[in-house]
Amino acid sequence: MENSNRFLEYFQGKCIFITGCTGCVGLALLEKLLRSFPQVHKIVLLIRKKRSENVSTRILNYFDNPVFSVMKEVQKDYLEKIIWVEGDVVKPNLGLSAENLNYIYNNVNVFYHCAASVKFVENLKNSITSNIYGTEMVYNVAKNCKKLECFMHVSTVFCNHGYSQSVLKEEIPENPANPDQLLEMAKSMSVNELEENCKESKIFINNYVFTKNATENLLGNKKDNIKIGILRIGCVMESYKEPYHFWLINENVFNVILKNVVTGIGFNMKEKASAYCTPIDFCINALIASTYDTAHITENLKVFNVATNRPTIKEIYEIFVKENVKDPWLSFGSLKYRFLCHLKDLVLEMSGKRGIYVREMARMDQSVVISRNFLCKELYCHTENLDELWKSLNESERELLFFNLNDIDFEKYVKSWFKMEKKYNPLDPTSTMLHLAKL
């Protein structure tokens, strides 16, 4: 039927488990489920204690995030659906209490594993522990759930960067290292020993990409007759529509660099390389839609690439610069920006405060270095699985879960980025005198 909605029907009465609920993807996923799927029964959120903040404080402040503002207007009883459990993905049984573990085993239908270390500069031991071992621990809990229907894992379209071919198919990629051996090495070796002995990691552009690739291989090797869905996303950008325009909690490296082009910072890029800029709401809608698809597949695993090969990095850069870069001083590169950073720090230090702007400048330079390998590699992403899924949606389902990247007006979208962020950007040189006046 044209007006029926498989997704609303599927999630009715479901109990859902989410890791990484404090990250960008986890936050957006929870918001969408609470706002658009009120028939969901319970959502179990794994949260860990931080050094600077205990679990109770984190829970107390959690729903103050602006991303939930629209949801709270339409779903007044949302808190009744939430079950908080203290734990950690890198601990056996996720560090859960016996009571919480028993509830999960007997009730959870869908697992969303969104937690990961996304640091581009991280030692290999920590990357393996967070990404590969963490996924193994989450999967081990999931496979013991009596009512489990599918296990959804969030990955990256850059999982093969530096190692392979310029084509990324919707299948498990090659990896020269065995993920089980990597886990043993990380357990028995020190940080330096692991870096020295794991030669395979050097083939990839960084440890994040290497371990995300190995994690996919870990899941691809599972033979437990559990439905596994892997959703790969690119550079997560501001929301296109939901819950409101231009929401994003954490910016990626490319996003930060592009918005600071106004400072004169330059970087190399390859003409046909794509950044796979994907609005966060499209990622989440695709994740929810692929959940239904994964739960109904005949095989045990399916991969979805949420990516569009156009526009390229160069095309995005040209749109952005044309709209936002007006300062004639930029003909001298970042000279003005660097001078003003030093000037602002001088004023801060003269007033007895610690300078912050030169450090921000150094951090930006480091971001350019880190991003170089991403900006200078051509990669074509196949999206047949995601395309077929979109084609199967009726009008009601498309309105609920809009994720067709081909329908985005990227020119309008890119033009809006800097305008929405400019008043919050402490590195904007055009506001330097205002900064100085307030000191």
Side-chain angles (χ1 to χ4, degrees), residues 17-31 43-48 58 62 68 84-85 87-90 94 111-118 130-131 134 138 152-154 212 247 249-250 280 284 287:
F17 185 93
I18 300 176
T19 70
C21 65
T22 58
C24 182
V25 174
L27 274 168
L29 172 62
L30 176 62
E31 189 280 333
I43 302 178
V44 183
L45 301 176
L46 181 73
I47 189 165
R48 65 182 175 88
R58 299 190 79 188
Y62 185 81
F68 297 112
W84 293 99
V85 293
D88 195 326
V89 296
V90 299
L94 307 182
F111 262 72
Y112 286 109
H113 182 37
C114 306
S117 171
V118 296
S130 297
N131 293 336
V138 177
M152 301 301 297
H153 173 72
V154 178
K212 291 299 282 186
W247 173 83
I249 187 173
N250 294 318
I280 179 63
I284 298 307
L287 177 58

Side-chain angles (χ1 to χ4, degrees), residues 325-344:
V325 181
K326 311 294 184 182
D327 192 342
W329 276 91
L330 294 181
S331 59
F332 298 99
S334 60
L335 178 63
K336 174 184 174 182
Y337 160 68
R338 296 177 187 279
F339 171 75
L340 293 175
C341 282
H342 282 282
L343 179 60
K344 285 187 279 190

Side-chain angles (χ1 to χ4, degrees), residues 125 181-191 193-194:
K125 190 179 182 74
Q181 291 179 353
L182 290 175
L183 291 174
E184 289 300 318
M185 291 171 68
K187 186 185 299 183
S188 61
M189 295 182 180
S190 67
V191 171
E193 287 174 337
L194 187 59

Side-chain angles (χ1 to χ4, degrees), residues 145-196:
C145 292
K146 298 176 182 178
K147 300 178 181 179
L148 184 70
E149 296 180 16
C150 63
F151 180 92
M152 301 301 297
H153 173 72
V154 178
S155 189
T156 172
V157 298
F158 301 109
C159 61
N160 245 16
H161 255 46
Y163 171 62
S164 167
Q165 314 47 9
S166 56
V167 172
L168 182 66
K169 297 181 179 179
E170 290 176 304
E171 57 189 39
I172 300 298
E174 297 179 54
N175 192 302
N178 183 302
D180 293 318
Q181 291 179 353
L182 290 175
L183 291 174
E184 289 300 318
M185 291 171 68
K187 186 185 299 183
S188 61
M189 295 182 180
S190 67
V191 171
N192 292 334
E193 287 174 337
L194 187 59
E195 295 283 355
E196 183 178 342

Side-chain angles (χ1 to χ4, degrees), residues 13 28 69 99 115 128 156-158 199 218 221 338 356 386:
S69 58
E99 181 182 357
I128 290 175
T156 172
V157 298
F158 301 109
K199 308 296 183 184
L218 178 81
N221 293 336
R338 296 177 187 279
I356 60 173
L386 195 71

Side-chain angles (χ1 to χ4, degrees), residues 2 10 23 46 77 79 123 138 141 169 180 198 253 261 270 283 308 326 404 411 419 433 437:
E2 186 64 25
Y10 176 73
L46 181 73
D77 61 345
L79 287 175
N123 69 64
V138 177
V141 171
K169 297 181 179 179
D180 293 318
C198 187
V253 172
V261 168
K270 201 161 188 176
C283 297
T308 176
K326 311 294 184 182
N404 186 19
E411 183 167 356
K419 290 179 179 178
M433 299 313 296

Side-chain angles (χ1 to χ4, degrees), residues 32-48:
K32 177 67 176 183
L33 289 172
L34 289 173
R35 175 169 50 85
S36 300
F37 294 84
Q39 65 275 55
V40 165
H41 178 55
K42 295 291 182 182
I43 302 178
V44 183
L45 301 176
L46 181 73
I47 189 165
R48 65 182 175 88

Side-chain angles (χ1 to χ4, degrees), residues 5 8 31 35 80-81 89 100 107 138 147-148 161 171 189 193 275 283 301 310 315 338 347 365 382-383 408 434:
N5 194 305
L8 290 176
E31 189 280 333
R35 175 169 50 85
E80 296 177 7
K81 299 181 183 297
V89 296
N100 287 336
N107 293 279
V138 177
K147 300 178 181 179
L148 184 70
H161 255 46
E171 57 189 39
M189 295 182 180
E193 287 174 337
C283 297
L301 185 143
R310 297 297 294 271
E315 289 168 337
R338 296 177 187 279
V347 174
D365 289 339
H382 283 265
T383 58
I408 294 178
L434 290 175

